[in-house]
């Protein structure tokens, strides 16, 4: 049985999506940092658009407690791939993380597990920690297919990875019906899926790897609803969209994460 009593330092990731210019990113970082101090009790990552990464990196400074993530990556290191950005390019801009397989990439841009798998591998090869998003649609949930959809996505995207690789992978469970809808999953719904994700990792790899992995919940997380999610030891943090764009609301979410497991 997976050791769910292993309580992780929570990880809060702010996914800015296609929001904020480079100038706005700098203003956000200044404002956010004035509202909240660093704490050893939570890890914080922001994922601005590609164009804001250099100025965000600059504004954060070299030893910031806030890490940078990209929102997407191409699987090749360079080449004739018009409009794409590679892992080495992101590393050079100061990114430590990259979000891979977000449901908007899957749904709006036709990303499939096969390419997501290549992206995860490319990220790992070039020293970026992938934040792999998985999640079912409403139709799939209503057909009781949540677990099979999520474990298929995981199996396809993580195929061939070693336990060492998995040590730097974060999973984000984001039910498609909860993203940007204001209708978050219940804690119980999230915990059920998180447990099956951990069990899937334990079965496919081993128990220490499954216990050590951070599994985030994402989908309409707000300052008002984050607390019960983090109260469960099955949920290791959150991937936040809409509520991360305002410095005050993101700072409140981070403060709750910093204090809840302190
Ligand atoms: P949301 O987005 O918080 O606006 O629902 C979450 C996400 O897409 O990562």
């Amino acid at each position: 049985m997976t050791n769910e009593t292993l309580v992780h330092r929570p990880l809060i990731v702010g996914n800015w999506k296609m929001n904020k210019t480079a100038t706005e990113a700098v203003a956000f970082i200044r404002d956010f940092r004035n509202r909240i101090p660093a704490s050893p009790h939570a890890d914080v990552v922001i994922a601005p658009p590609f164009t804001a990464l250099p100025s965000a990196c600059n504004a954060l400074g070299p030893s910031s407690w806030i890490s940078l993530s990209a929102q997407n990556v191409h699987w090749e290191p360079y080449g004739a791939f018009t409009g794409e950005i590679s892992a080495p390019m992101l590393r050079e801009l100061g990114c430590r993380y990259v979000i891979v397989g977000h449901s908007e990439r899957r749904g709006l841009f036709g990303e499939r597990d096969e390419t997501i798998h290549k992206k995860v591998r490319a990220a790992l090869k070039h020293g970026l920690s992938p934040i792999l998003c998985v999640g079912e649609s409403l139709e799939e949930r209503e057909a009781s297919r949540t677990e099979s959809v999520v474990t298929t996505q995981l199996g396809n995207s993580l195929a061939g990875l070693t336990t060492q690789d998995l040590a730097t992978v974060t999973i984000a469970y984001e039910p498609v019906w909860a993203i940007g809808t204001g209708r978050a999953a219940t804690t119980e719904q999230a915990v059920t899926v998180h447990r099956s994700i951990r069990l899937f990792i334990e079965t496919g790899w081993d128990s220490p790897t499954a216990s050590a992995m951070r599994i985030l919940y994402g989908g309409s997380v707000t300052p008002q609803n984050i607390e019960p999610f983090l109260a469960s030891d099955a949920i290791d943090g959150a991937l936040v969209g809409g509520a991360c764009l305002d410095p005050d609301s993101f700072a409140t979410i981070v403060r709750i994460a910093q204090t809840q497991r302190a």
Side-chain angles (χ1 to χ4, degrees), residues 115-189:
T115 51
I116 292 165
H117 181 222
K118 290 200 255 180
K119 291 178 178 204
V120 168
R121 297 199 80 118
L124 290 167
K125 183 170 176 194
H126 296 284
L128 290 167
S129 298
I131 301 169
L132 171 64
C133 301
V134 294
E136 82 289 359
S137 66
L138 188 57
E139 202 185 3
E140 289 161 341
R141 171 163 285 268
E142 285 172 347
S144 303
R145 292 183 51 225
T146 299
E147 188 178 338
S148 75
V149 167
V150 166
T151 54
T152 301
Q153 288 173 340
L154 284 175
N156 291 339
S157 315
L158 301 176
L161 264 57
T162 63
T163 53
Q164 207 184 345
D165 291 331
L166 284 186
T168 59
V169 174
T170 300
I171 308 286
Y173 168 56
E174 297 208 302
V176 178
W177 47 271
I179 295 176
T181 59
R183 184 184 160 201
T186 63
T187 306
E188 201 185 349
Q189 286 172 323

Side-chain angles (χ1 to χ4, degrees), residues 9 45 52 68 76 85 89 110 160 230 236 247:
R9 193 170 55 245
V45 175
L68 266 189
E76 292 293 340
I85 306 283
M89 293 171 182
L230 295 182
D236 307 309

Side-chain angles (χ1 to χ4, degrees), residues 69-89:
S69 174
Q71 300 173 15
N72 186 22
V73 65
H74 193 267
W75 58 85
E76 292 293 340
Y78 55 85
F81 302 100
T82 302
E84 294 292 326
I85 306 283
S86 75
M89 293 171 182

Side-chain angles (χ1 to χ4, degrees), residues 39-252:
S39 154
H41 301 297
D43 292 327
V44 179
V45 175
I46 55 171
F50 291 132
T51 47
L53 287 171
S55 54
C57 183
N58 232 353
L60 289 171
S63 58
S64 175
W65 58 277
I66 304 163
S67 301
L68 266 189
S69 174
Q71 300 173 15
N72 186 22
V73 65
H74 193 267
W75 58 85
E76 292 293 340
Y78 55 85
F81 302 100
T82 302
E84 294 292 326
I85 306 283
S86 75
M89 293 171 182
L90 296 173
R91 281 286 294 171
E92 201 182 285
L93 290 184
C95 287
R96 274 188 56 198
Y97 294 85
V98 61
I99 297 170
V100 178
H102 189 278
S103 80
E104 285 149 18
R105 301 286 332 157
R106 294 175 191 261
L108 302 173
F109 303 100
E111 275 196 20
R112 315 189 64 88
D113 285 347
E114 294 69 38
T115 51
I116 292 165
H117 181 222
K118 290 200 255 180
K119 291 178 178 204
V120 168
R121 297 199 80 118
L124 290 167
K125 183 170 176 194
H126 296 284
L128 290 167
S129 298
I131 301 169
L132 171 64
C133 301
V134 294
E136 82 289 359
S137 66
L138 188 57
E139 202 185 3
E140 289 161 341
R141 171 163 285 268
E142 285 172 347
S144 303
R145 292 183 51 225
T146 299
E147 188 178 338
S148 75
V149 167
V150 166
T151 54
T152 301
Q153 288 173 340
L154 284 175
N156 291 339
S157 315
L158 301 176
L161 264 57
T162 63
T163 53
Q164 207 184 345
D165 291 331
L166 284 186
T168 59
V169 174
T170 300
I171 308 286
Y173 168 56
E174 297 208 302
V176 178
W177 47 271
I179 295 176
T181 59
R183 184 184 160 201
T186 63
T187 306
E188 201 185 349
Q189 286 172 323
V191 166
T192 304
V193 180
H194 282 223
R195 292 216 166 107
S196 55
I197 291 172
R198 222 178 282 283
L199 189 61
F200 179 82
I201 302 293
E202 181 180 347
T203 313
W205 285 269
D206 58 32
S207 176
T209 304
S211 304
M213 179 167 261
R214 284 200 287 201
I215 306 175
L216 315 182
Y217 167 75
S220 296
V221 170
T222 64
Q224 289 73 39
N225 68 15
I226 181 111
E227 226 171 299
F229 286 119
L230 295 182
S232 166
D233 61 16
I235 300 177
D236 307 309
L239 179 50
V240 185
C244 82
L245 294 174
D246 171 57
D248 181 42
S249 114
F250 193 53
T252 306

